[in-house]
Amino acid sequence: MTHLQTFQVFPTIPKPLAFLEALSRNIWWSWHYDAVELFRRIDPPRWDEAGRNPIVFSTYISQKRLEELAKDNSFLAHLERVRGSYKKLVIAPPKEGHPLSADSEPSQQTTDNGQRTTDNGQRTTDNGQLTTDNGQLTTDNGQQTVVAYFSMEFGIHESIPLFAGGLGILAGDHLKAASDMGVPLAAVGLLYRQGYFRQFLDHEGWQQEAYPETDFFRLPLRKAKGRSGKQARISLTGPDGEIYADVWKIMVGRIPLFLLDTNLAVNPPQVREITAKLYAGEPKMRAAQEALLGIGGMRALAEMGIHPAVIHKNEGHCTFASLERLAQIMSLYDIDLKTAMEIVPRTTIFTTHTPVAAGHDEFPPDLVRPFVRPLQERLGVTEDEILAYGQSAGAGAESPVSMFVLGVRMAQYCNGVSELHGKVARRMWAHVWPDVPEEEVPITHVTNGVHIASWISHENALLFERYIGPEWCVRPSATECSYPMDSDLLERIDEVYDEELWRAHEMSRSRLIRTCRRLVAKQYERRNAPKAMMEELKSILDQHAMTIGFSRRFASYKRANLLLSDPERLKKILTSQTHPVQLIFAGKAHPKDDEGKGLIKHVIEFARDHRIRHRMVFIEDYDIHIARHLIHGTDVWLNTPRRPLEACGTSGMKAALNGVLNVSVLDGWWCEGYNEKRGWCIGSDEEYSDWDYQDAVESQALYNILENDVIPCFYERRSGGVPTRWVKMMKESIKMGMQFFCAHRMVSEYQSRFYLPAAERYHSLIADHAKEAAELSRQRARLSRLWRKIRIKPPAGDTEGPFRVGETFRVSAEVYLGKLRPDEVEVEFYYGGLKSVDALDSGHAEQMEMAEDRGNGNYLYACTVTCRTSGRYGFTARVMPRGDDWIKFAPGFITWA
């Protein structure tokens, strides 16, 4: 049979339960426990069997059961309570007068009375643009805007397989927090029909991969409508011809997530494969995915009438978006490329997530040419000039095209995801800004945060609701609150009775152990394990033993085997009769990473020792569902990356929120979070060139910490079986997570530091037919033409010294500006501790003022320097353009004495 057509049958929902259908179509339910429980109470076993997917679950419920629920007053009261929250947090617009306000691209739903309305009750204009009753994100000048958020993956819930790991989970948490706070994001990604792989281990413990097809009819997807009212479809040119993609939409609370799908009959087979698997390994396919996400994503937004004022590129996979945006803005405002180049970077945020060089994509020019060739005419430049945007300065025409370099050259706002990562990124990419001191390289940081409501255990949530208030999980981010979290709210966590918090955690640990036993039994059953072993699996792990979790991607730099470096010492720890300890491992290795797979095999082989196999397990196919159990129920979260290769490490934040104590290398977020009152650090903040030596030192430090500090603290029970000192640390850990490492703080920081300033600049730059942008373009051309004539002599002081702390001296420098005016430049005295004969440590810039116009382009600049601390200093002077960071740090516009 060929050309089969399909249809799907859902149960008839009784009128009193009609809201259930609307709720199932917005993933908002997944981070509200009351909404999750509404589905679960219908049939708990079937809910788990359906993978906690309400759309699949609905097909398992009999019509008889639905009719019973329609008459169940208790269930209906629960439904009304959830509907009230939904109306308040999704349908109702954010509070008036706040700079954050929401909207969402509506999709139609059936209301209780059978009428048609939108997911969130808001309006859409005739051309499909986003709108709300009280407006969108409003800048200081009253303008409104939409922020487009691009990411290759989104981890929202385990039932939506569009993610691989931390990057996707972070993107999902970003959308959830934006929804809670009313930030008007429109997210863009790809719709993978196979997603990331499912993990299975063979009898030897070697990872195997499977790619099951995702049934899109089991996801809360709707076809996105274009301005014509029809299914939105876009196209772009690739190496094998035209690539067509349909646009789908998932509502994440108030936030629309648009997803592109190339699995269409109109496409040839090789093109359909572009959206088959997440992170395709073959470079040609990878380049096609990134072009589809960036170029296709911008075209999808335009097709729906959405022209974002700001775009946020989550990692380098999205950077093609800036090229298409240049062309769109040129067409939209009838301006040339040079003028558009003054708009696009100033309204773009680029977030980089990895300090590992291999994590940054580079493509041979020939792979990129087919995607940029059609842009030549629209941009008015050659394809070689377009490719040069992503090539290192001075590199040849055939040098690789770096997605990072392209990303930062099209973004004024660039950030890493922790304080340490920002520092590492500045060092790693300093060559992109030649002559700029490393500490001034324009890469800052916004430390990641996690969405509290998505990751907190139910037991802890009930405690916090009682002690902090019914809206505890959004209080740290509520529009009326400031950062950090109010101290009186933090003190309420201290008021939680120790025994209550401990018993809540013990319930989470018991649930984790039950889940591990069930999952491990499934793993062994699939391998046809003998009955005796299956029976033995019923008693693995101990509900009362200290439980250490290690769950993350199995990459070599994360050192999953660090704890296994002294096998006998570890076995002694695990087999203690008085202070038992157990280990739970989970995580995937990249399909092409044999070294990572070898680490998994090593863990499996070690765990087979008959002395410890009850105390150590590896859980296959790590996903959000397993992660949730682990961060709720473990006692210790172990993190052993090789510093400084961990950009952030958000799993430790999720654990901390639940009172799980971190034992970690001082890398990523733990450099900011660590305090001896709330966890332990492995080693110091040293960075080693000899990795074998580093592993030896830090493995011994890890064993010492476990044996001398962590385990004794956990088993110190003086009153009622509660480890008082441990619980005190749990409270400190929870307060830390809620105060500093929540996604609401993160999104608020992006909004205040990047989104709002970028939105302000966008509206000012495009005003009056992009008058300001055109002036900036002319100014840049003027600087490019005249800058090479600038000369500055070494600065000289009016006193030789030496000086005492607190004394001042006057310093001056002669500057030749040629035809440039003093108001077009900044002259700075630059000084710092002397690191070597030609290098300064932590340089500082002091503004110099023009003291004398000597004519013919010659000027004398001077300033007064105060000696603040003792030491030996070096100094010089420099000239930079006057203006914002985009022009100030433009390569080539800096002249040193």
Side-chain angles (χ1 to χ4, degrees), residues 33 457-460 462-463 466 499-515 543-544 628-635 658 730:
Y33 189 82
S457 73
H458 179 50
E459 291 78 14
N460 283 344
L462 291 176
L463 281 179
R466 188 190 322 157
E499 187 167 348
E500 281 188 291
L501 182 59
W502 183 245
R503 298 308 172 209
H505 180 68
E506 286 192 315
M507 290 179 67
S508 294
R509 191 193 311 119
S510 295
R511 185 167 56 249
L512 169 63
I513 301 307
R514 292 195 304 272
T515 301
Q543 295 191 11
H544 303 289
R628 202 180 288 118
H629 282 79
L630 286 164
I631 61 168
H632 293 170
T634 53
D635 301 295
N658 287 282
M730 289 175 65

Side-chain angles (χ1 to χ4, degrees), residues 828-846:
E828 295 176 334
F829 176 72
Y830 190 83
Y831 68 101
L834 200 60
K835 192 174 182 179
S836 65
V837 293
D838 58 357
L840 300 181
D841 186 24
S842 300
H844 301 277
E846 193 84 36

Side-chain angles (χ1 to χ4, degrees), residues 12 18 174 199 266 290 303 319 343 380 556 583 770 819 864 890:
T12 300
H174 195 108
Q199 178 196 52
V266 68
E290 298 189 13
E303 171 64 19
T319 55
I343 299 174
S556 57
L583 293 169
K819 293 183 179 180
T864 299

Side-chain angles (χ1 to χ4, degrees), residues 11 65 113-114 144 213 215 242 253 318 323 353 411 418 426 517 523 525 542 632 642 709 742 772 807 894:
R65 177 59 176 154
N113 61 8
Q144 297 175 350
E213 293 275 340
D215 185 350
E242 207 66 7
C318 323
L323 300 178
H353 286 265
S418 70
R426 287 190 290 275
R517 287 172 178 172
Q523 293 171 194
E525 184 179 20
D542 181 346
H632 293 170
R642 182 171 283 115
D709 299 311
C742 67
E772 184 184 354
E807 292 182 346
I894 183 170

